[in-house]
Amino acid sequence: DPRGQLVLAYDKMHLCDMGDCSEIAHGCSPGEGELGVFECDGVRVGVTICYDLRFPELYRALAWDAGCDLILHPAAFVRDATFPMYHQFVATRAVENGVYLLSVSYAGERFGSSVACPPWIGDVPGLAAPLAAASLGTAEGVLPLVVEPRHLEAVRRAYPYRRDVHPRLRAPPAQGDRRLQRERRVGGEGVGVRPDS
């Protein structure tokens, strides 16, 4: 936080076990499955790490259940056979959940290509200009991202995935799942489902 206090410690949930970046081969073990969420200047922020990007359920839980509008994604995507999908995964996770996603990859010749993605790519009714992702090359750099509440509202109004998802997919969590035993945010209208009722 602005005072230098630690606000979150997140243990990566998903470990890669393929290619040049196999974490399991190096003896790593996954975290316990707690969501990484904190507040920053009125914005609810979620955190995922590297291979977590491949799991849409985690992003859905952060965006829809935990109410995050921004997800931070530090990574070290090596330029192996899986690398060409990196930006597509970032854009998909941002757009399908209507959130901003800042994915910061380790700089260097074998890594790089950090990307900042808005909650939609292209024209959005009610906004003057189309929204677009921005990215860096392999060198170190600064990739600014401004979370615009007006853009989030316009995107969620124009593309109401949260409203239109089938009720079965909005089912309450299994009994005893403490991390989701709170009011769920569905859409921007304050409509909620109480998982514990």
Side-chain angles (χ1 to χ4, degrees), residues 4-93:
Q5 300 297 310
L6 180 66
V7 295
L8 175 69
Y10 169 71
D11 293 321
K12 182 179 180 184
M13 286 189 196
H14 303 95
L15 298 181
C16 185
D17 191 23
M18 62 181 144
D20 294 340
C21 60
S22 175
E23 296 154 310
I24 293 177
H26 294 289
C28 296
S29 57
E32 295 296 318
E34 292 294 321
L35 295 179
V37 178
F38 66 97
E39 295 277 337
C40 180
D41 289 335
V43 175
R44 196 145 169 88
V45 182
V47 176
T48 64
I49 299 174
C50 209
Y51 190 55
D52 282 338
L53 182 66
R54 311 290 188 178
F55 300 89
E57 301 85 354
L58 174 56
Y59 284 76
R60 181 67 42 98
L62 288 167
W64 294 24
D65 299 329
C68 296
D69 290 325
L70 167 64
I71 298 176
L72 302 178
H73 175 249
F77 274 109
V78 69
R79 290 180 182 271
D80 62 8
T82 67
F83 190 83
M85 293 303 298
Y86 169 39
H87 282 199
Q88 285 82 353
F89 272 113
V90 171
T92 299
R93 297 296 165 258

Side-chain angles (χ1 to χ4, degrees), residues 79 83 105-114 136-141:
R79 290 180 182 271
F83 190 83
S105 187
Y106 186 81
E109 196 173 300
R110 295 196 60 220
F111 301 94
S113 295
S114 295
L136 297 176
T138 57
E140 289 183 19

